[in-house]
């Protein structure tokens, strides 16, 4: 399946990283779009190089190389490229995940006032009645942010907060992140083995070994 993955400037770039790894490992073709702020957070949280990278393109290319596997499974899309295929309902793509989703992008999507490719793809998913999952990471949340979540839900999107469960006895940060990513893939109808399902044994996959 062709799936769009937007990575925005909320903390939790690892959610985007693990989403990219899981989707590509499962054989899906991912259109990856990182916002300008998303690249800053990746630079800070994943690359350990602080939130003011010299080059947006370099950060995004390294992120795609680190987590997109195999080669060729990822199309890196510029956040300004609203002329790319995913920007049109006629592209046929019907699944998009924004992980993590900043409250700023949340507001843009909720109000249909986008100005980058991530906002546009989310708008397309809602109008075409495709699957849109947004994964906000913020706490506490204001009434404005709560209303934006309601608006996206009313429009048919799924708001899936980056709120890991602990009942699967996580042993690592990756386990915590994979719990949330796995819930997002469940909503998108994508098979995975990112966490042990309650009452069922965990099925090991190649992704576990990475
Ligand atoms: C290191 C860092 C961490 C941030 N963490 C969050 C966060 O957890 N949630 C959030 O909504 N915004 C967070 N922000 C602020 C967003 O990056 C900012 O609102 C930005 O305009 C979002 O733009 P985007 O939605 O286009 O990515 C953070 C920014 C930085 C630099």
């Amino acid at each position: 399946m062709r799936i769009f993955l937007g990575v925005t400037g909320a903390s939790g770039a690892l959610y985007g990283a693990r989403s990219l790894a899981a989707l590509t490992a499962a054989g899906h073709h991912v259109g990856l779009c990182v916002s300008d702020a998303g690249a800053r957070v990746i630079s800070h949280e994943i690359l350990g190089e602080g939130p003011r990278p010299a080059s947006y393109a370099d950060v995004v290319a390294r992120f795609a190389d680190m987590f997109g596997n195999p080669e060729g499974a990822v199309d890196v899309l510029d956040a300004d490229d609203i002329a790319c295929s995913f920007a049109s309902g006629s592209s046929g793509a019907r699944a998009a995940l924004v992980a993590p989703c900043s409250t700023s992008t949340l507001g843009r999507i909720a109000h249909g006032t986008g100005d980058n490719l991530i906002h546009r793809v989310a708008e397309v998913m809602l109008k075409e009645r495709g699957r849109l999952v947004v994964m906000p990471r913020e706490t506490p949340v204001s009434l404005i942010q709560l209303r934006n979540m309601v608006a996206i839900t009313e429009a048919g999107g799924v708001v899936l907060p980056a709120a890991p469960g602990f009942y699967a006895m996580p042993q690592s940060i990756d386990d915590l992140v994979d719990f949330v990513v796995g819930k997002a893939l469940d909503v998108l109808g994508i098979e995975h083995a990112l966490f042990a399902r309650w009452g069922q044994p965990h099925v090991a996959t190649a992704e576990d070994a990475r």
Side-chain angles (χ1 to χ4, degrees), residues 77-114:
L77 308 168
D78 196 282
D80 288 335
D81 187 12
I82 43 88
C84 84
S85 157
F86 280 98
S88 168
S90 66
S91 75
R94 289 293 177 267
L97 169 63
V98 184
C101 183
S102 75
T103 54
S104 165
T105 289
L106 194 79
R108 294 288 198 149
I109 296 170
H111 295 277
T113 53

Side-chain angles (χ1 to χ4, degrees), residues 8-11 35 37-38 41 44 51 101-105 116 119 137-138:
T8 71
S11 184
S35 70
V41 177
H44 183 61
C101 183
S102 75
T103 54
S104 165
T105 289
N116 72 18
H119 310 150
R137 204 252 41 111
E138 189 52 275

